[in-house]
Amino acid sequence: MQVAMTADELQAFLTSDFGQVAADFVVESAGVEGITLRLAVEERHLRPGGTVSGPAIFALADVAMYLAILARIGPKALTVTTNCSIDFMRKPAAGRELRAVARVLKLGRSLAVGDVMVFSDGVAEPVARAGLTYSIPPER
């Protein structure tokens, strides 16, 4: 088994198809086992109390899983999230980037299931864990 899209191709796809958010994310690596995606935390990602907001962490997990699936199946833009469950486990530091490690656990013809661990730079323990399911559009 090999990847359908490399890290550079995933980054280019994100820029071309999701330009409104692409600048927030950097694809560090992509392989059959999954991908690593970074969120450059900015002031707009913070909430009162000096921490990264839940919606920003959710976005990182969601985009990471989406790209992990595309790394396996190719640029199918209409692949969509059908379910997400996220556990916020620790307060991430406001001044540090977040890193998501996404793994595809099951890849079928119409559904993909995976998990994402989110880490704050400099902290060994994860700050969040998400389980996600995606619907894959049928071939035409």
Side-chain angles (χ1 to χ4, degrees):
M1 184 180 345
Q2 62 187 43
V3 295
M5 296 178 78
T6 66
D8 289 340
E9 290 168 333
L10 290 168
Q11 190 74 54
F13 174 82
L14 194 58
T15 300
S16 68
D17 286 41
F18 295 94
Q20 68 273 29
V21 297
D24 286 349
F25 303 104
V26 175
V27 181
E28 278 192 348
S29 65
V32 173
E33 69 286 348
I35 75 155
T36 301
L37 183 70
R38 284 199 169 273
L39 170 66
V41 176
E42 303 285 340
E43 185 71 27
R44 69 182 179 280
H45 299 121
L46 303 182
R47 58 161 295 208
T51 189
V52 181
S53 72
I57 296 170
F58 172 84
L60 174 61
D62 192 38
V63 172
M65 183 51 59
Y66 177 69
L67 294 178
I69 294 166
L70 296 189
R72 298 273 297 274
I73 67 172
K76 295 185 181 182
L78 296 180
T79 299
V80 296
T81 310
T82 59
N83 187 55
C84 178
S85 174
I86 189 164
D87 297 308
F88 299 101
M89 301 185 292
R90 288 174 186 77
K91 179 180 174 180
R96 297 184 179 162
E97 288 189 351
L98 294 181
R99 176 177 44 92
V101 178
R103 297 180 309 152
V104 177
L105 302 175
K106 181 184 183 302
L107 181 61
R109 285 182 301 223
S110 61
L111 289 178
V113 177
D115 70 6
V116 180
M117 299 298 285
V118 179
F119 299 89
S120 185
D121 274 356
V123 180
E125 298 84 16
V127 298
R129 182 202 62 85
L132 297 106
T133 304
Y134 281 74
S135 176
I136 301 168
E139 296 292 328
R140 294 189 183 215

